[in-house]
Amino acid sequence: MITVENINHSFLIGRKGKETNVPVLKRVSFSVQQGEIVSIVGRSGSGKSTLLHILAGFLKPDSGKIRVKDTVTSAFTEQQSAQFRLENFGFIFQNFQLMPGLTAFENVELPLKLKGMNHHQRKDKVNKLMMEVGLNAVQDHYPNELSGGQQQRVSIARALITDPPIIFADEPTGSLDSETEQEVLQLIQTLNKTLGITFVIITHDDEVAHRANRIYRMHDGNLAEEGAIHAV
């Protein structure tokens, strides 16, 4: 489903004219199979979020190649990346990233509007999904009227609404209490098993990581699968 080959990426830091090139990802190579849950674990600053942004097409790598569903996405223009994201990826964020001026229903509906689906189709699809994830009672509530767990369920529903084959989750339980964390992780596992969605989860939490089929660890820009080195 996803193949990453020798990805390198650096950032320039410092004042103009005195910038320093700081390597963030170093010859990163790995793969994700269809229907897997894969966790990428690392401390803050290890490069894991940068890797996620490159996988999703928000950043271009300095070198290397990324294939998603046999398409070389690392060669895309910005416009091509945006269209590919809309058609193939869903996103779950630590801080939910909900639009505060939209209701729960409207937040979930938004990607369908971007895809140009008509009003009646959107309404039917959103209503069905919100019932499936236990949000039908709060669909007219605004984000600030919802608990953290409810906000994350809205975020998950929004990620699911376009039927993406791949969902990227960036610290999906980082803002939740332990009980709600378990509920969200169980929901992710259920969606993976019942719908066959591929999940790539970025986390610093080993308990979250061990819900995955495979774990990769990021350290100082290098990525290693548990028990096997994948980049040096």
Side-chain angles (χ1 to χ4, degrees):
M1 181 63 80
I2 302 173
T3 304
V4 177
E5 302 174 8
N6 292 318
I7 289 295
N8 293 282
H9 192 73
S10 301
F11 288 117
L12 285 175
I13 63 170
R15 292 181 297 172
K16 187 175 180 179
K18 295 185 177 180
E19 298 96 339
T20 301
N21 199 44
V22 178
V24 180
L25 299 177
K26 307 169 186 175
R27 295 181 59 201
V28 170
S29 297
F30 73 106
S31 63
V32 179
Q33 304 304 314
Q34 183 174 355
E36 276 193 310
I37 300 177
V38 168
S39 288
I40 299 174
V41 192
R43 295 179 178 178
S44 178
S46 63
K48 63 186 188 300
S49 291
T50 299
L51 177 58
L52 180 78
H53 290 158
I54 287 175
L55 293 176
F58 293 116
L59 287 175
K60 272 190 169 295
D62 294 338
S63 62
K65 184 182 291 185
I66 299 169
R67 291 182 181 271
V68 180
K69 300 190 337 181
D70 297 323
T71 299
V72 180
T73 59
S74 50
F76 278 170
T77 65
E78 188 173 327
Q79 184 175 359
Q80 288 172 324
S81 289
Q83 186 62 38
F84 193 83
R85 275 196 300 273
L86 185 61
E87 294 175 355
N88 293 279
F89 300 151
F91 297 91
I92 304 170
F93 301 98
Q94 175 179 350
N95 294 320
F96 320 128
Q97 300 290 340
L98 301 178
M99 301 292 287
L102 301 181
T103 64
F105 183 98
E106 291 165 340
N107 268 282
V108 176
E109 180 188 33
L110 187 57
L112 298 181
K113 282 188 172 183
L114 295 175
K115 291 193 75 171
M117 183 179 288
N118 71 55
H119 172 73
H120 293 296
Q121 288 177 314
R122 294 198 309 266
K123 183 177 179 180
D124 290 344
K125 191 173 180 67
V126 175
N127 278 329
K128 181 181 178 182
L129 180 57
M130 295 194 81
M131 184 168 289
E132 289 175 354
V133 299
L135 290 170
N136 52 303
V138 298
Q139 63 179 12
D140 294 327
H141 292 208
Y142 290 91
N144 65 358
E145 299 171 328
L146 302 175
S147 69
Q150 288 171 328
Q151 290 185 66
Q152 194 57 295
R153 282 178 178 268
V154 174
S155 176
I156 291 170
R158 182 183 57 191
L160 290 169
I161 196 64
T162 57
D163 302 310
I166 300 167
I167 289 181
F168 295 114
D170 192 357
E171 301 284 5
T173 63
S175 297
L176 305 177
D177 60 64
S178 57
E179 182 178 349
T180 308
E181 173 183 273
Q182 295 305 313
E183 292 175 1
V184 168
L185 291 174
Q186 184 59 54
L187 178 58
I188 287 173
Q189 288 182 305
T190 299
L191 294 168
N192 170 255
K193 290 177 182 177
T194 58
L195 301 179
I197 297 171
T198 302
F199 281 86
V200 178
I201 300 175
I202 300 294
T203 185
H204 67 276
D205 187 330
D206 277 349
E207 184 176 352
V208 174
H210 280 88
R211 295 294 189 104
N213 303 116
R214 284 193 294 148
I215 300 172
Y216 291 94
R217 293 194 180 272
M218 179 74 75
H219 180 70
D220 291 340
N222 295 313
L223 190 70
E225 187 174 358
E226 287 199 335
I229 298 298
H230 276 242
V232 294

